Amino acid sequence: MLQPQFTVTAAAEKFMRRMVRFSETPAGGFRLTVTPGGCSGYASEFTVEAAPQAGDADVLVNGLRMFLPAESRLLLEGVSIDFADTPTKSGLTFVNPNQAACGCSSSGDAPAAAAAAAPAQASVTLDSIRRMAKA
C-alpha cells in the first residue's frame, strides 16, 4: 500500500469511514476519482468498492483504505481533503494551496485579487450521492 501524498482532515475521514461502514462492502475501501474541473479546481466522484480496480493504488489513511486511479493520485498531491456540512453545502472539499483560483466570478463583481487569494475548492454534494445510489 502507498503512503498518501495528500492530507485527509478528521471530518473527511469520518465521512469516508461512514460511507464504507454502511455500504454493502464494509470491508472494502473508498474509491475517489478526481478530475480537473474548471474554475472550482476539481470535479470528483466516489464509490465504495470491495477491492481496487485495475490501475488503482491502494492508499492507507489511518487504517482507511482509499482506492485512487493514477490521474487522481497526481491531482491530489499536496491537497487537503476536507468535509463541509453547512446550510449551503455538504460534501467533500479539496483545498490546493499551490493552485491560484481563477479571476472569474459568477456575479462579476469580485475583484480578481480577492479571487486569486482564495484556494481552489470543489465539492461532492449529498444530491450527487443520492443520484449514484439510484443508479
Side-chain angles (χ1 to χ4, degrees):
M1 286 192 206
L2 295 175
Q3 292 298 314
Q5 301 298 314
F6 51 88
T7 303
V8 177
T9 67
E13 183 181 338
K14 181 178 178 181
F15 170 75
M16 291 178 198
R17 286 185 186 283
R18 284 185 175 178
M19 294 301 296
V20 173
R21 184 180 329 132
F22 296 113
S23 73
E24 294 178 6
T25 55
F30 189 89
R31 185 171 195 267
L32 179 62
T33 304
V34 180
T35 56
C39 287
S40 64
Y42 301 104
S44 63
E45 293 182 10
F46 65 86
T47 56
V48 175
E49 304 288 338
Q53 295 182 13
D56 285 357
D58 195 345
V59 179
L60 195 61
V61 177
N62 298 324
L64 170 71
R65 290 178 73 189
M66 291 183 69
F67 307 141
L68 299 170
E71 181 179 3
S72 298
R73 287 192 313 270
L74 293 173
L75 289 171
L76 289 173
E77 284 186 21
V79 170
S80 177
I81 303 172
D82 197 6
F83 180 80
D85 189 13
T86 67
T88 58
K89 72 177 177 179
S90 183
L92 293 175
T93 61
F94 303 87
V95 179
N96 184 350
N98 300 317
Q99 179 180 356
C102 73
C104 65
S105 167
S106 59
S107 65
D109 58 2
Q121 293 188 356
S123 65
V124 177
T125 65
L126 292 179
D127 288 337
S128 64
I129 297 168
R130 289 183 190 111
R131 284 193 299 270
M132 286 176 32
K134 290 179 184 178

